[in-house]
Amino acid sequence: MIDEIRAARDAALAQIERADSIESVSALDTSLLGKKGSLAQLKTQLGGLPTIDEKKAAGQAVNEALQTVTAAIEARRAELGEAALLAKVQAEALDLTEFVGKPTRGHAHLVTQAWERLEDVFIGLGFQVAEGPEVETDWHNFEALNMGAGHPARGEFDTLFVDHAPPGEQPGRTVLRTHTSPVQIRTMLEQEPPIYIVAPGRVFRRDTPDATHMPVFHQIEGLVIDRDITMADLAGTIEAFTKAFFGAEFTSRLRPSYFPFTEPSAEFDIQRPDGSWLELGGCGMVHPNVLVAGGLDPEVWSGFAFGFGIDRMATMRHQVDDIRDMFVNDIRFIEQF
Ligand code: PHE
């Protein structure tokens, strides 16, 4: 009897071992452990054994066999369950590398690169970075900068006017700033001198796009206000900037010019190592009327300002011959830099 029990147990264990799905394990659970299972059948025969000891021993053996088979079924069920889960997870997992292809890494746009480098160089020279709004009042953009009523830049022909008016302003007296110079006024009104700031930003003019003009472009403004600032400080700063930004082989010069908000005014050019000159921007000593508009006493404070195009610097540096390429966002162009 004991041998039969062991044989039935081993046969059951072998079947469990061969089961390859949760469903077949469940079927074995019923057939092996149910009333019609071989071990249950053997149990019914215990009563026919001759001695108490034999009954006892066989009974114990059947119970042990049932326990072993039950444990084997549970173990196999867990094993197959885990495998099934793993297979499911693997089947459903998204292979992202398949969609993305080989990983690519982006980088800053040409204009942003130039903007950030300019900031770095000026910070290195002791300047702080200031900001102003792109939608400006007529007063900040023109009036406070000594551009009176008749100034041509104030006409519809050059400037984009905005219908919206901030509280206290007349509609149609608000503009998309035509230069970064209004940040001069805002900075003077906001902080006490000494002031050493640069203000990079987007500016707008009513221009038809061509190879050298865009209705939207970028400038960087510089403003220094302190005691006893002279034109020599301006020239020295421009020269220090030129060498820091372009390299020691470059130099700069100032050429007389005119801006309503600086007096005297100058254009500044840089000389390339091959000897050729390139016009970079405008500059000059801050006009006394501008200091007054900024709430400063021209008898106490003096300063200089400069402004130039960021896009121009970037196109120059990378020999881009059409400024429109900087703004159309054609990936084939952008990826080159
Ligand atoms: N705002 C002037 C321009 O847009 C440049 C400039 C800035 C000139 C500061 C002098 C001083 O052309």
Side-chain angles (χ1 to χ4, degrees), residues 178-181 184 205 219 221-222 259 261-262 282-284 305-308:
T178 59
H179 51 177
T180 43
S181 300
Q184 290 186 33
R205 283 186 202 171
Q219 285 188 335
E221 191 81 10
F259 296 100
F261 34 92
T262 45
C283 61
F306 56 83
F308 53 86

Side-chain angles (χ1 to χ4, degrees), residues 1-15 32 37-40 42 65 69:
M1 181 83 176
I2 302 275
D3 287 344
E4 276 178 75
I5 292 167
R6 290 206 179 120
R9 182 197 64 192
D10 291 346
L13 290 177
Q15 268 182 287
L32 296 175
S38 50
L39 289 168
L42 286 168
V69 171

Side-chain angles (χ1 to χ4, degrees), residues 42-282:
L42 286 168
K43 214 172 180 177
T44 61
Q45 295 167 24
L46 292 177
L49 287 171
T51 67
I52 288 280
D53 282 348
E54 273 176 285
K55 279 181 195 166
K56 236 177 150 180
Q60 210 176 344
V62 171
N63 284 338
E64 274 171 19
L66 284 168
Q67 274 169 20
T68 308
V69 171
T70 306
I73 283 175
E74 280 322 306
R76 188 72 184 134
R77 205 196 296 274
E79 214 171 270
L80 288 169
E82 231 168 74
L85 187 65
L86 196 69
K88 193 171 170 224
V89 167
Q90 276 170 353
E92 288 176 5
L94 294 177
D95 180 1
L96 293 174
T97 57
E98 214 171 282
F99 298 103
V100 179
K102 75 171 185 307
T104 57
R105 190 163 175 195
H107 61 76
H109 188 274
L110 211 50
V111 174
T112 313
Q113 289 176 31
W115 176 318
E116 287 175 353
R117 262 199 83 219
L118 287 164
E119 279 188 2
D120 285 351
V121 166
F122 280 111
I123 287 169
L125 294 173
F127 286 72
Q128 286 183 326
V129 177
E131 274 184 355
E134 290 173 1
V135 180
E136 255 305 359
T137 67
D138 177 279
W139 186 79
H140 287 91
N141 194 81
F142 296 124
E143 190 104 27
L145 288 164
N146 205 32
M147 290 157 109
H151 196 279
R154 299 186 68 161
E156 303 257 330
F157 187 70
D158 290 313
T159 301
L160 293 152
F161 286 82
V162 176
D163 284 339
H164 154 85
E169 283 288 326
Q170 295 166 26
R173 299 262 295 162
T174 308
V175 300
L176 296 186
R177 66 176 177 191
T178 59
H179 51 177
T180 43
S181 300
V183 185
Q184 290 186 33
I185 304 298
R186 290 186 175 272
T187 308
M188 285 187 252
L189 292 173
E190 266 162 32
Q191 65 190 65
E192 295 291 315
I195 293 170
Y196 291 80
I197 58 111
V198 284
R202 201 175 282 140
V203 300
F204 309 83
R205 283 186 202 171
R206 204 176 263 254
D207 252 329
T208 307
D210 64 26
T212 51
H213 295 85
M214 281 296 290
V216 181
F217 57 103
H218 302 85
Q219 285 188 335
I220 185 164
E221 191 81 10
L223 176 69
V224 166
I225 306 281
D226 209 333
R227 289 174 211 273
D228 307 320
I229 296 291
T230 70
M231 198 91 183
D233 298 310
L234 168 59
T237 303
I238 297 286
E239 180 68 9
F241 159 74
T242 301
K243 295 212 175 319
F245 190 81
F246 294 98
E249 356 39 289
F250 286 75
T251 52
S252 63
R253 74 174 173 198
L254 302 186
R255 258 184 311 118
S257 184
Y258 171 77
F259 296 100
F261 34 92
T262 45
E263 179 59 33
S265 303
E267 302 286 340
F268 71 90
D269 307 328
I270 58 159
Q271 188 175 34
R272 302 182 177 108
D274 69 3
S276 63
W277 290 95
L278 188 98
E279 187 182 315
L280 216 61

